[in-house]
């Protein structure tokens, strides 16, 4: 038994560990950048800020196309992509990858879109072979768009967009390709132009290291053309209304000025690190996390190693053990938030977020919290997960000449 003098006082000290797969930890540099007096959004000073962030965003999407920015959560950017490109009754394909594909389907259906939901197991990504077969069978080209969640945040499965693009090109089908990168942008390699994506949807609160409240559409020329004939009603989300003032750095309505200060700083941080390094860092932390999970003897939700997510890892609980109880014990004792299992995975799965502003020691702390939590909650597991993660991380580090 622990002697009374060593028992923990449950007042939390130090920093909370926010290890859900978004919103993610906002770096101090970004918080400080947002701590700024609000300026006139019709001033020359604002136009400079607006133009700078709209230009900088293109680098992150790896595009030369326009990127529009909404003061809205990611759900707003889903809706924007739909109402700007489609007409009532249009047929679209959407892959069932998990909870978020399910929600996106509902958005489409509310607008009268005929969503053909391609069934999936929630353990694998979108199938390029299935897409090719469906498009090849659509001789009259009645399918107007293919919708995919790049990184399914509820399962930790990343679909291969290049494979899906190849399948579309193979059939010469003209459908638009619309991709949700809400939990992959600035964490997992993503190339809007090279992969010929028509609309890329993203949010501020994950890889971009910002608070929630902004979301984005990157728009290809083909998507802009489709916009000309799309008949769904739109006002707030209308790309045309946004693109005109954006040309000079302005917005058609009051922009989230202070979030834009944060965005400018976050873009600067991503540029300093370099996108390839950002992606490698996420891969390294993801691999170390999986090493820990394997050592604990627990099961990773993602079945296909080629589709492992670099931004989060979803883990099955052993039969008869509740993931929400484990999360509650970890929060109570170690002040760490882990992601919950969503919809049909509720209680069965917990999710470790390892994206955004994050480093090796934060990961080590996170995994220590999980391992101590497993022990405390009486969840059957093997010890040594943290050590396996450290072993996985170690080769990436070296002694620099200056030390
Ligand atoms: C992949 C994905 N798509 C869409 C959403 C919805 O975004 P929001 O909650 O910001 O509206 C989320 C939220 O986590 C997500 O992870």
């Amino acid at each position: 038994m622990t002697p009374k003098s060593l028992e923990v006082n449950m007042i939390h000290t130090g920093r909370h560990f926010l290890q859900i797969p978004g919103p993610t930890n906002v770096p101090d540099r970004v918080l400080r950048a947002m701590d700024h007096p609000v300026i006139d959004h019709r001033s020359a000073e604002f136009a400079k800020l607006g133009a700078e962030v709209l230009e900088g965003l293109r680098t992150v999407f790896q595009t030369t196309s326009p990127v529009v920015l909404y003061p809205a959560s990611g759900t707003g950017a889903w809706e924007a992509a739909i109402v700007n490109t489609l007409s009532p009754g249009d047929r679209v394909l959407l892959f069932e990858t998990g909870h978020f594909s399910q929600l996106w389907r509902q958005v489409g259906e509310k607008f009268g879109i005929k969503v053909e939901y391609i069934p999936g197991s929630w353990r694998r990504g979108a199938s390029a072979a299935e897409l090719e077969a469906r498009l090849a069978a659509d001789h009259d080209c009645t399918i107007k768009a293919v919708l995919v969640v790049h990184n399914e945040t509820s399962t930790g499965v990343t679909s291969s967009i290049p494979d899906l693009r190849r399948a579309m090109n193979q059939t010469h089908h003209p459908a638009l390709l619309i991709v949700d990168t809400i939990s992959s942008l600035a964490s997992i390699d993503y190339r809007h132009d090279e992969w010929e994506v028509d609309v890329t949807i993203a949010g501020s609160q994950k890889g971009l290291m910002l608070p929630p409240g902004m979301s984005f559409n990157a728009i290809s020329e083909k998507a802009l053309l489709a916009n000309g004939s799309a008949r769904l009603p739109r006002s707030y989300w209308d790309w045309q209304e946004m693109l005109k003032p954006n040309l000079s750095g302005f917005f058609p309505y009051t922009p989230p000025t202070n979030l834009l200060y944060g965005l400018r700083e976050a873009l600067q941080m991503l540029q300093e690190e370099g996108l390839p390094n950002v992606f490698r860092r996420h891969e390294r932390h993801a691999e170390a996390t999986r090493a820990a999970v394997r050592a604990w003897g627990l099961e990773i939700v993602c079945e296909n190693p080629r589709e492992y997510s670099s931004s989060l890892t979803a883990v099955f609980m052993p039969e008869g053990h509740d993931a929400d109880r484990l999360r509650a014990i970890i929060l109570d004792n170690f002040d760490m938030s882990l992601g919950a299992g969503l919809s049909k995975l509720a209680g069965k799965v917990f999710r470790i977020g390892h994206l955004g502003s994050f480093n090796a020691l934060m990961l080590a702390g996170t995994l220590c919290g999980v391992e101590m939590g497993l022990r405390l909650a009486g969840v059957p597991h093997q010890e040594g997960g943290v050590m396996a993660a450290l072993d996985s991380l170690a080769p990436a580090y070296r002694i620099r000449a200056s030390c």
Side-chain angles (χ1 to χ4, degrees):
M1 235 177 72
T2 315
K4 200 96 195 124
S5 60
L6 292 181
E7 261 179 22
V8 173
N9 175 340
M10 275 309 188
I11 289 177
H12 293 138
T13 51
R15 279 207 171 191
H16 174 69
F17 268 62
L18 182 66
Q19 297 317 137
I20 58 175
T24 61
N25 297 288
V26 179
D28 292 350
R29 263 178 76 174
V30 171
L31 290 172
R32 279 199 297 272
M34 290 189 301
D35 181 4
H36 195 288
V38 179
I39 57 169
D40 175 4
H41 59 288
R42 314 228 183 261
S43 65
E45 187 186 353
F46 180 87
K48 193 165 168 286
L49 170 67
E52 195 180 332
V53 293
L54 289 170
E55 183 57 35
L57 275 170
R58 296 183 196 212
T59 315
V60 183
F61 285 83
Q62 305 200 45
T63 186
T64 53
S65 290
V67 179
V68 296
L69 178 166
Y70 299 103
S73 83
T75 304
W78 268 346
E79 183 166 328
I82 288 173
V83 298
N84 275 289
T85 56
L86 299 172
S87 300
D90 273 355
R91 213 179 142 204
V92 305
L93 299 181
L94 170 56
F95 285 92
E96 178 184 9
T97 46
H99 174 74
F100 289 102
S101 68
Q102 202 162 273
L103 293 181
W104 198 6
R105 173 193 189 177
Q106 286 165 16
V107 176
E109 286 176 345
K110 282 178 189 161
F111 281 100
I113 301 300
K114 289 198 190 101
V115 181
E116 280 176 35
Y117 200 45
I118 304 177
S121 67
W122 291 38
R123 300 196 66 180
R124 287 186 171 256
S127 156
E130 174 83 35
L131 179 60
E132 192 171 332
R134 296 235 181 186
L135 293 180
D138 180 32
H139 303 295
D140 303 332
C141 295
T142 56
I143 297 169
K144 297 298 176 205
V146 174
L147 276 54
V148 196
V149 177
H150 180 214
N151 185 70
E152 178 50 75
T153 324
S154 62
T155 62
V157 177
T158 308
S159 290
S160 169
I161 305 302
D163 287 356
L164 296 171
R165 180 75 258 177
R166 257 191 299 279
M168 292 180 76
N169 290 349
Q170 207 77 29
T171 57
H172 303 287
H173 196 289
L176 297 170
L177 177 58
I178 303 182
V179 182
D180 169 340
T181 64
I182 287 177
S183 60
S184 56
L185 192 85
S187 308
I188 298 170
D189 194 7
Y190 182 80
R191 306 171 186 204
H192 177 89
D193 284 0
E194 189 181 318
W195 299 344
E196 300 167 66
V197 178
D198 294 299
V199 188
T200 298
I201 293 151
S204 57
Q205 73 273 28
K206 305 204 189 226
L208 286 176
M209 309 178 286
L210 292 158
M214 282 191 297
S215 54
F216 313 91
N217 278 177
I219 308 165
S220 76
E221 261 179 50
K222 190 170 151 190
L224 264 184
L225 214 64
N227 179 247
S229 54
R231 284 180 290 101
L232 277 174
R234 51 188 177 268
S235 168
Y236 183 81
W237 307 112
D238 196 335
W239 289 342
Q240 298 303 334
E241 293 299 320
M242 187 63 100
L243 287 168
K244 271 178 267 166
N246 275 183
L247 285 176
S248 46
F250 290 114
F251 283 71
Y253 40 66
T254 312
T257 313
N258 289 51
L259 283 176
L260 299 186
Y261 284 123
L263 176 57
R264 181 164 67 184
E265 192 67 22
L267 291 172
Q268 175 68 32
M269 289 174 73
L270 290 169
Q271 195 203 326
E272 284 166 15
E273 186 175 357
L275 275 185
N277 294 325
V278 171
F279 302 143
R280 269 198 293 276
R281 168 166 61 81
H282 282 79
E283 285 162 17
R284 201 160 57 236
H285 293 160
E287 183 47 42
T289 305
R290 292 190 294 269
V293 176
R294 287 188 201 106
W296 290 324
L298 300 180
E299 190 179 353
I300 296 167
V301 173
C302 180
E303 273 178 345
N304 178 1
R306 282 190 60 228
E307 297 177 324
Y308 282 147
S309 167
S310 293
S311 51
L312 77 135
T313 303
V315 183
F316 279 115
M317 291 292 283
E319 202 56 41
H321 292 266
D322 182 5
D324 291 340
R325 178 171 174 268
L326 172 70
R327 290 189 317 106
I329 288 171
I330 290 173
L331 178 63
D332 189 34
N333 284 276
F334 309 117
D335 196 20
M336 177 164 76
S337 299
L338 294 173
L342 297 172
S343 13
K344 72 176 189 186
L345 298 179
K348 296 187 170 77
V349 156
F350 66 91
R351 296 173 299 145
I352 305 171
H354 34 72
L355 73 164
S357 174
F358 201 54
N359 63 36
L361 292 191
M362 291 163 84
L363 177 65
T366 301
L367 297 173
C368 282
V370 177
E371 191 159 323
M372 286 197 287
L374 290 169
R375 191 189 296 191
L376 200 57
V379 177
H381 69 286
Q382 284 131 41
E383 291 189 355
V386 172
M387 194 48 79
L390 300 186
D391 286 343
S392 161
L393 287 172
Y397 295 88
R398 68 198 147 80
I399 299 169
R400 288 176 215 264
S402 58
C403 297

